[in-house]
Amino acid sequence: MPRLLVLCVFVAIFSYVSVSIEVCTSSLIPGAKGDQGEIGDDGDQGKLGKNGPPGLPGVPGESGLKGELGHTGKIGPTGDRGDKGDKGVDGPAGLKGKPGTMCDCGRYRKVVGQLDINVGKLGNAVKFVKNVVLGLRETEERYYLLVKEPKRFREASMNCKLRGGNLAMPKSTNINRLMADYVSQAGLTRVYIGVQTQTKGMDGSSHVYADSTPLQGFASWSQEEELQPNTNSSCVELLSTGTWAHVECEATMFFICEFPKSRRRRGGREAVASSSS
């Protein structure tokens, strides 16, 4: 009896295990492919992707319209003083003045004579100040001042203009000799003068003075410059011997300024002289 019971239990357990294996085996085998389902609705828009590489340059567009006129710029520096113009037409005669009163001028002759003496003394004093104290040289038309401040050509030219003149321009033999003696007596060998190369071309170089007038009629080039001009240097120096030579504009040296004499002052001096006589 106990053996039969054990056998029945064993058979039952074996049947249960075999059934479970069949169930598992049948569930793992894939079935036939089903029919295609319907297309679903559009999904939400995805996130923006990264920027792609830049494209090729496009064709240039047409030029735009011309813009409006801009604001007026600042006023430029004052130019050099121009040459004296021709004498104008005489104006109409003025109205007749009132008749003067009679006077005895003899009593004033002594005063006028004393004034003439004083004016002469004053002229000598002024000449002493100009020639000895200031070291000026002068002609009938101009004063010349040797400036013992080493400067480049452009700075020297500006310095003379700030003083009311220009770099000295030897336009004649006499003026050139006066300037050369001025340099020699000062113990110097060379100075800047107001002569500069204007253009360079196939036919050589042309020169102009500091007042923009062309170099004509007179020049005092050294023999070396006449035989082989130094076209690489556009500025000019005056030697104590009275000859000219080209020099680099960036070189620093002393220079001579020239100043025109006041015509009004000369005219007044002539008027005093004529009245005293």
Side-chain angles (χ1 to χ4, degrees), residues 87-116:
K87 184 179 180 181
V89 180
D90 294 337
L95 299 176
K96 187 176 181 180
K98 295 180 180 181
T101 58
M102 297 295 295
C103 70
D104 182 13
C105 297
R107 55 186 296 188
Y108 296 107
R109 290 179 180 176
K110 184 176 181 180
V111 177
V112 171
Q114 186 62 41
L115 287 176
D116 188 20

mmCIF file of all heavy atoms in Angstrom, residues 87-116:
data_model
loop_
_atom_site.group_PDB
_atom_site.id
_atom_site.type_symbol
_atom_site.label_atom_id
_atom_site.label_comp_id
_atom_site.label_asym_id
_atom_site.label_seq_id
_atom_site.Cartn_x
_atom_site.Cartn_y
_atom_site.Cartn_z
ATOM 1 N N LYS A 87 48.584 147.011 -58.813
ATOM 2 C CA LYS A 87 47.989 148.224 -58.257
ATOM 3 C C LYS A 87 46.594 148.428 -58.841
ATOM 4 O O LYS A 87 46.371 148.278 -60.033
ATOM 5 C CB LYS A 87 48.872 149.430 -58.554
ATOM 6 C CG LYS A 87 48.365 150.727 -57.930
ATOM 7 C CD LYS A 87 49.313 151.886 -58.236
ATOM 8 C CE LYS A 87 48.793 153.183 -57.602
ATOM 9 N NZ LYS A 87 49.690 154.326 -57.902
ATOM 10 N N GLY A 88 45.655 148.724 -57.962
ATOM 11 C CA GLY A 88 44.280 148.923 -58.404
ATOM 12 C C GLY A 88 44.070 150.279 -59.062
ATOM 13 O O GLY A 88 44.956 151.141 -59.104
ATOM 14 N N VAL A 89 42.861 150.479 -59.569
ATOM 15 C CA VAL A 89 42.502 151.751 -60.215
ATOM 16 C C VAL A 89 42.356 152.824 -59.134
ATOM 17 O O VAL A 89 41.839 152.566 -58.047
ATOM 18 C CB VAL A 89 41.179 151.586 -61.011
ATOM 19 C CG1 VAL A 89 40.807 152.891 -61.685
ATOM 20 C CG2 VAL A 89 41.322 150.465 -62.021
ATOM 21 N N ASP A 90 42.826 154.030 -59.447
ATOM 22 C CA ASP A 90 42.709 155.137 -58.497
ATOM 23 C C ASP A 90 41.246 155.423 -58.196
ATOM 24 O O ASP A 90 40.379 155.423 -59.090
ATOM 25 C CB ASP A 90 43.375 156.388 -59.055
ATOM 26 C CG ASP A 90 44.883 156.202 -59.193
ATOM 27 O OD1 ASP A 90 45.427 155.335 -58.479
ATOM 28 O OD2 ASP A 90 45.504 156.904 -60.020
ATOM 29 N N GLY A 91 40.948 155.639 -56.940
ATOM 30 C CA GLY A 91 39.589 155.949 -56.541
ATOM 31 C C GLY A 91 39.222 157.397 -56.841
ATOM 32 O O GLY A 91 40.065 158.216 -57.242
ATOM 33 N N PRO A 92 37.956 157.735 -56.650
ATOM 34 C CA PRO A 92 37.522 159.124 -56.914
ATOM 35 C C PRO A 92 38.148 160.080 -55.913
ATOM 36 O O PRO A 92 38.457 159.712 -54.776
ATOM 37 C CB PRO A 92 36.000 159.043 -56.749
ATOM 38 C CG PRO A 92 35.779 157.872 -55.844
ATOM 39 C CD PRO A 92 36.853 156.896 -56.168
ATOM 40 N N ALA A 93 38.315 161.324 -56.329
ATOM 41 C CA ALA A 93 38.898 162.346 -55.465
ATOM 42 C C ALA A 93 37.959 162.669 -54.313
ATOM 43 O O ALA A 93 36.732 162.660 -54.457
ATOM 44 C CB ALA A 93 39.199 163.607 -56.278
ATOM 45 N N GLY A 94 38.510 162.896 -53.141
ATOM 46 C CA GLY A 94 37.691 163.220 -51.982
ATOM 47 C C GLY A 94 37.184 164.655 -52.024
ATOM 48 O O GLY A 94 37.536 165.462 -52.909
ATOM 49 N N LEU A 95 36.339 164.967 -51.058
ATOM 50 C CA LEU A 95 35.784 166.314 -50.961
ATOM 51 C C LEU A 95 36.853 167.317 -50.535
ATOM 52 O O LEU A 95 37.825 166.952 -49.875
ATOM 53 C CB LEU A 95 34.626 166.325 -49.967
ATOM 54 C CG LEU A 95 33.433 165.417 -50.312
ATOM 55 C CD1 LEU A 95 32.402 165.459 -49.186
ATOM 56 C CD2 LEU A 95 32.811 165.801 -51.640
ATOM 57 N N LYS A 96 36.668 168.535 -50.913
ATOM 58 C CA LYS A 96 37.614 169.588 -50.576
ATOM 59 C C LYS A 96 37.558 169.867 -49.087
ATOM 60 O O LYS A 96 36.483 170.004 -48.501
ATOM 61 C CB LYS A 96 37.299 170.847 -51.365
ATOM 62 C CG LYS A 96 38.345 171.948 -51.198
ATOM 63 C CD LYS A 96 38.025 173.134 -52.095
ATOM 64 C CE LYS A 96 39.099 174.220 -51.947
ATOM 65 N NZ LYS A 96 38.797 175.393 -52.828
ATOM 66 N N GLY A 97 38.708 169.918 -48.447
ATOM 67 C CA GLY A 97 38.750 170.142 -47.019
ATOM 68 C C GLY A 97 38.559 171.605 -46.640
ATOM 69 O O GLY A 97 38.550 172.512 -47.494
ATOM 70 N N LYS A 98 38.412 171.818 -45.344
ATOM 71 C CA LYS A 98 38.242 173.182 -44.856
ATOM 72 C C LYS A 98 39.568 173.931 -44.926
ATOM 73 O O LYS A 98 40.632 173.332 -44.779
ATOM 74 C CB LYS A 98 37.747 173.150 -43.412
ATOM 75 C CG LYS A 98 36.358 172.543 -43.257
ATOM 76 C CD LYS A 98 35.941 172.555 -41.793
ATOM 77 C CE LYS A 98 34.560 171.944 -41.630
ATOM 78 N NZ LYS A 98 34.112 171.955 -40.198
ATOM 79 N N PRO A 99 39.548 175.206 -45.149
ATOM 80 C CA PRO A 99 40.804 175.979 -45.211
ATOM 81 C C PRO A 99 41.511 175.974 -43.874
ATOM 82 O O PRO A 99 40.883 176.041 -42.807
ATOM 83 C CB PRO A 99 40.327 177.375 -45.611
ATOM 84 C CG PRO A 99 38.884 177.434 -45.196
ATOM 85 C CD PRO A 99 38.356 176.050 -45.347
ATOM 86 N N GLY A 100 42.819 175.839 -43.901
ATOM 87 C CA GLY A 100 43.591 175.818 -42.673
ATOM 88 C C GLY A 100 43.857 177.212 -42.139
ATOM 89 O O GLY A 100 43.615 178.226 -42.814
ATOM 90 N N THR A 101 44.373 177.281 -40.938
ATOM 91 C CA THR A 101 44.694 178.561 -40.312
ATOM 92 C C THR A 101 46.161 178.891 -40.526
ATOM 93 O O THR A 101 47.005 178.003 -40.640
ATOM 94 C CB THR A 101 44.394 178.496 -38.808
ATOM 95 O OG1 THR A 101 45.138 177.448 -38.232
ATOM 96 C CG2 THR A 101 42.899 178.246 -38.568
ATOM 97 N N MET A 102 46.458 180.146 -40.566
ATOM 98 C CA MET A 102 47.836 180.604 -40.759
ATOM 99 C C MET A 102 48.608 180.409 -39.457
ATOM 100 O O MET A 102 48.079 180.588 -38.361
ATOM 101 C CB MET A 102 47.851 182.080 -41.158
ATOM 102 C CG MET A 102 47.159 182.361 -42.488
ATOM 103 S SD MET A 102 48.003 181.591 -43.873
ATOM 104 C CE MET A 102 49.536 182.475 -43.837
ATOM 105 N N CYS A 103 49.834 179.967 -39.567
ATOM 106 C CA CYS A 103 50.655 179.811 -38.372
ATOM 107 C C CYS A 103 52.088 180.190 -38.691
ATOM 108 O O CYS A 103 52.518 180.151 -39.852
ATOM 109 C CB CYS A 103 50.587 178.388 -37.850
ATOM 110 S SG CYS A 103 51.414 177.199 -38.909
ATOM 111 N N ASP A 104 52.806 180.528 -37.667
ATOM 112 C CA ASP A 104 54.232 180.839 -37.786
ATOM 113 C C ASP A 104 55.004 179.570 -37.449
ATOM 114 O O ASP A 104 55.131 179.206 -36.277
ATOM 115 C CB ASP A 104 54.599 181.986 -36.844
ATOM 116 C CG ASP A 104 56.075 182.372 -36.992
ATOM 117 O OD1 ASP A 104 56.694 181.919 -37.981
ATOM 118 O OD2 ASP A 104 56.575 183.107 -36.126
ATOM 119 N N CYS A 105 55.477 178.859 -38.508
ATOM 120 C CA CYS A 105 56.138 177.566 -38.295
ATOM 121 C C CYS A 105 57.575 177.708 -37.851
ATOM 122 O O CYS A 105 58.234 176.716 -37.542
ATOM 123 C CB CYS A 105 56.088 176.729 -39.578
ATOM 124 S SG CYS A 105 54.397 176.308 -40.070
ATOM 125 N N GLY A 106 58.079 178.953 -37.841
ATOM 126 C CA GLY A 106 59.464 179.129 -37.432
ATOM 127 C C GLY A 106 59.703 178.683 -36.007
ATOM 128 O O GLY A 106 60.771 178.154 -35.681
ATOM 129 N N ARG A 107 58.727 178.868 -35.125
ATOM 130 C CA ARG A 107 58.877 178.499 -33.727
ATOM 131 C C ARG A 107 58.959 176.989 -33.541
ATOM 132 O O ARG A 107 59.415 176.498 -32.502
ATOM 133 C CB ARG A 107 57.710 179.049 -32.904
ATOM 134 C CG ARG A 107 56.373 178.624 -33.438
ATOM 135 C CD ARG A 107 55.218 179.292 -32.711
ATOM 136 N NE ARG A 107 55.179 178.882 -31.313
ATOM 137 C CZ ARG A 107 54.176 179.206 -30.489
ATOM 138 N NH1 ARG A 107 53.154 179.934 -30.924
ATOM 139 N NH2 ARG A 107 54.200 178.786 -29.241
ATOM 140 N N TYR A 108 58.468 176.243 -34.576
ATOM 141 C CA TYR A 108 58.483 174.770 -34.465
ATOM 142 C C TYR A 108 59.713 174.136 -35.117
ATOM 143 O O TYR A 108 59.924 172.935 -34.997
ATOM 144 C CB TYR A 108 57.223 174.188 -35.110
ATOM 145 C CG TYR A 108 55.947 174.603 -34.423
ATOM 146 C CD1 TYR A 108 55.093 175.520 -35.028
ATOM 147 C CD2 TYR A 108 55.595 174.091 -33.179
ATOM 148 C CE1 TYR A 108 53.921 175.918 -34.408
ATOM 149 C CE2 TYR A 108 54.420 174.474 -32.547
ATOM 150 C CZ TYR A 108 53.579 175.397 -33.165
ATOM 151 O OH TYR A 108 52.418 175.794 -32.550
ATOM 152 N N ARG A 109 60.482 174.966 -35.852
ATOM 153 C CA ARG A 109 61.624 174.373 -36.566
ATOM 154 C C ARG A 109 62.653 173.804 -35.593
ATOM 155 O O ARG A 109 63.261 172.761 -35.837
ATOM 156 C CB ARG A 109 62.271 175.430 -37.461
ATOM 157 C CG ARG A 109 61.385 175.814 -38.652
ATOM 158 C CD ARG A 109 62.048 176.878 -39.500
ATOM 159 N NE ARG A 109 61.183 177.223 -40.636
ATOM 160 C CZ ARG A 109 61.457 178.187 -41.509
ATOM 161 N NH1 ARG A 109 62.581 178.904 -41.366
ATOM 162 N NH2 ARG A 109 60.628 178.435 -42.493
ATOM 163 N N LYS A 110 62.853 174.502 -34.479
ATOM 164 C CA LYS A 110 63.813 174.010 -33.494
ATOM 165 C C LYS A 110 63.339 172.677 -32.917
ATOM 166 O O LYS A 110 64.142 171.751 -32.732
ATOM 167 C CB LYS A 110 63.977 175.041 -32.393
ATOM 168 C CG LYS A 110 65.039 174.653 -31.373
ATOM 169 C CD LYS A 110 65.217 175.763 -30.347
ATOM 170 C CE LYS A 110 66.297 175.392 -29.331
ATOM 171 N NZ LYS A 110 66.494 176.453 -28.305
ATOM 172 N N VAL A 111 62.019 172.578 -32.657
ATOM 173 C CA VAL A 111 61.473 171.330 -32.121
ATOM 174 C C VAL A 111 61.621 170.199 -33.126
ATOM 175 O O VAL A 111 62.001 169.067 -32.793
ATOM 176 C CB VAL A 111 59.984 171.515 -31.731
ATOM 177 C CG1 VAL A 111 59.389 170.192 -31.249
ATOM 178 C CG2 VAL A 111 59.850 172.593 -30.674
ATOM 179 N N VAL A 112 61.317 170.522 -34.421
ATOM 180 C CA VAL A 112 61.431 169.506 -35.464
ATOM 181 C C VAL A 112 62.883 169.057 -35.621
ATOM 182 O O VAL A 112 63.186 167.871 -35.803
ATOM 183 C CB VAL A 112 60.877 170.040 -36.798
ATOM 184 C CG1 VAL A 112 61.181 169.075 -37.935
ATOM 185 C CG2 VAL A 112 59.379 170.288 -36.693
ATOM 186 N N GLY A 113 63.823 170.025 -35.532
ATOM 187 C CA GLY A 113 65.237 169.664 -35.635
ATOM 188 C C GLY A 113 65.676 168.745 -34.506
ATOM 189 O O GLY A 113 66.427 167.784 -34.720
ATOM 190 N N GLN A 114 65.199 169.039 -33.288
ATOM 191 C CA GLN A 114 65.540 168.186 -32.159
ATOM 192 C C GLN A 114 64.926 166.794 -32.327
ATOM 193 O O GLN A 114 65.554 165.779 -31.985
ATOM 194 C CB GLN A 114 65.050 168.823 -30.861
ATOM 195 C CG GLN A 114 65.486 168.071 -29.612
ATOM 196 C CD GLN A 114 66.997 168.031 -29.457
ATOM 197 O OE1 GLN A 114 67.691 169.029 -29.712
ATOM 198 N NE2 GLN A 114 67.530 166.879 -29.070
ATOM 199 N N LEU A 115 63.694 166.763 -32.828
ATOM 200 C CA LEU A 115 63.063 165.463 -33.101
ATOM 201 C C LEU A 115 63.869 164.671 -34.121
ATOM 202 O O LEU A 115 64.007 163.448 -34.011
ATOM 203 C CB LEU A 115 61.632 165.663 -33.613
ATOM 204 C CG LEU A 115 60.592 166.113 -32.579
ATOM 205 C CD1 LEU A 115 59.255 166.369 -33.272
ATOM 206 C CD2 LEU A 115 60.431 165.039 -31.501
ATOM 207 N N ASP A 116 64.393 165.356 -35.129
ATOM 208 C CA ASP A 116 65.201 164.683 -36.144
ATOM 209 C C ASP A 116 66.447 164.073 -35.510
ATOM 210 O O ASP A 116 66.840 162.934 -35.812
ATOM 211 C CB ASP A 116 65.581 165.693 -37.222
ATOM 212 C CG ASP A 116 66.264 165.021 -38.401
ATOM 213 O OD1 ASP A 116 66.088 163.789 -38.551
ATOM 214 O OD2 ASP A 116 66.958 165.700 -39.172
#
